[in-house]
Amino acid sequence: AARGASVAIGNFDGVHRGHREVIRVAAEHARALRRPLGVVTFEPHPREVLNPASAPPRLTPLRRKAELLREIGVEQLYVCRCNGALLATPADAFVAGTLLGELEVAAVTTGRDFRFGHRRQGDTALLAALTAAAGRTASAVDPVTVDGEVCSSTAIRASLADGLIEHADALLGSAYELEGIVRQGDRRGRELGFPTANIHPLDPRPVFPAVGVYVVDAAVREPGGWRPHPAVAYFGRRPTFDGRSLLLEVHLLEGGCDLYGRRMRVAFRHRLRGDQTFAGFDELKAQIARDCEQARNFHAPIPA
């Protein structure tokens, strides 16, 4: 029942603007052919299999990627288990066996730089030739650029690492999010008068932004869905307390509730400042108050 879709193929980490353009073209083919829109992706990322130590952290774990794809209209999601057997499959065998065989795709759309098959020997020219021989269509989509930079997962990770949140969000086409579980911390924020939720990311290999203080949108998972909250977040080692571990702490500007054990999504909007060491509690508390005021101003609606 899931065969015969017009599919976009790729890793789609982040489901950024470049990915969405590939999927948009696949959707055009789907409408023209009166077929469902599908995405073929790979889990885990091939580099996590080939060289785990150098594999990039993930912008979106598989579950969140699936949610984002569904939100933009993808009807069928095909996940290829990426293992030694798949990576050893010749490019022509992948097309014949998986795309044309198992999935019976009606059309295929990729990015212009898409590579596949053993040792990445397959490219878009080979894909087009093999699909054309079977009477199917293959399209290669040119990269999308923002402010002169190509939208790519690599560029987004680099922007986040440099604290360039607005640029990363522009490449993504939405605010960068981290999702995690609220765990009990050492209650330092509560002692300072600014209680925080200590977030443990669900993804074991998340992409973190540069250390510092951020304006964020926090959403808490409730029985009826996600409830949004304007918030401010700190990511760092808390040098004032001689901290050693990196922590992500979120303070809800409207006031908190019992969040322990709840899921929270943290969407990064703007970096207020880098990490700092303070002489004492009073100096730190005063700076946190200024951070919260700046965050409130950022969240405040613009007067009509």
Side-chain angles (χ1 to χ4, degrees):
R3 294 187 175 100
S6 167
V7 302
I9 305 179
N11 288 306
F12 300 114
D13 186 26
V15 194
H16 57 62
R17 292 176 66 175
H19 297 148
R20 291 171 188 244
E21 178 62 12
V22 173
I23 295 167
R24 185 192 67 78
V25 174
E28 288 185 349
H29 292 305
R31 286 192 294 270
L33 297 168
R34 296 184 179 180
R35 297 296 183 96
L37 171 62
V39 159
V40 176
T41 192
F42 306 91
E43 181 65 24
H45 191 288
R47 286 177 60 183
E48 293 180 30
V49 179
L50 291 169
N51 191 348
S54 69
R58 295 199 184 197
L59 294 166
T60 45
L62 179 61
R63 181 179 63 183
R64 183 56 179 151
K65 184 195 301 185
E67 291 173 347
L68 292 170
L69 292 171
R70 183 172 60 242
E71 288 172 9
I72 62 174
V74 173
E75 299 165 89
Q76 305 281 5
L77 177 61
Y78 311 96
V79 182
C80 295
R81 185 179 297 279
C82 192
N83 52 27
L86 179 66
L87 294 173
T89 302
D92 57 352
F94 175 73
V95 174
T98 299
L99 298 183
L100 300 176
E102 290 181 274
L103 301 183
E104 297 179 5
V105 298
V108 180
T109 306
T110 68
R112 183 70 62 187
D113 60 353
F114 179 67
R115 296 292 183 274
F116 64 102
H118 184 54
R119 297 186 182 276
R120 295 168 50 88
Q121 293 175 341
D123 58 13
T124 54
L126 177 63
L127 181 59
L130 294 173
T131 52
R136 314 294 167 82
T137 300
S139 302
V141 178
D142 290 328
V144 172
T145 61
V146 173
D147 296 330
E149 182 170 17
V150 171
C151 288
S152 71
S153 301
T154 300
I156 293 166
R157 293 186 195 100
S159 294
L160 290 169
D162 291 337
L164 304 176
I165 297 302
E166 281 87 351
H167 185 59
D169 290 352
L171 294 171
L172 273 168
S174 59
Y176 174 63
E177 292 181 344
L178 274 173
E179 184 174 339
I181 302 294
V182 179
R183 301 296 188 200
Q184 187 165 347
D186 58 14
R187 297 178 178 266
R188 291 284 191 182
R190 191 176 300 275
E191 291 175 10
L192 292 166
F194 300 93
T196 59
N198 194 326
I199 311 299
H200 286 232
L202 292 174
D203 190 341
R205 302 178 62 255
V207 176
F208 286 117
V211 296
V213 177
Y214 294 87
V215 179
V216 300
D217 294 325
V220 178
R221 183 68 175 176
E222 298 188 352
W226 291 93
R227 181 180 178 184
H229 300 268
V232 61
Y234 168 76
F235 176 66
R237 299 184 186 276
R238 299 193 302 183
T240 301
F241 301 107
D242 194 27
R244 298 182 181 277
S245 300
L246 284 167
L247 298 172
L248 175 59
E249 300 176 304
V250 177
H251 171 67
L252 304 184
L253 295 172
E254 299 169 333
C257 53
D258 183 7
L259 299 175
Y260 293 137
R262 308 277 287 279
R263 280 168 57 192
M264 181 183 287
R265 282 182 184 161
V266 183
F268 293 82
R269 301 282 306 282
H270 175 69
R271 188 178 190 227
L272 292 173
R273 60 177 175 86
D275 213 349
Q276 295 175 243
T277 302
F278 297 93
F281 274 27
D282 289 343
E283 187 178 328
L284 172 59
K285 185 174 181 179
Q287 181 59 57
I288 293 175
R290 289 191 290 270
D291 294 336
C292 289
E293 185 61 24
Q294 285 185 275
R296 287 191 183 91
N297 291 337
F298 186 95
H299 282 295
I302 299 174

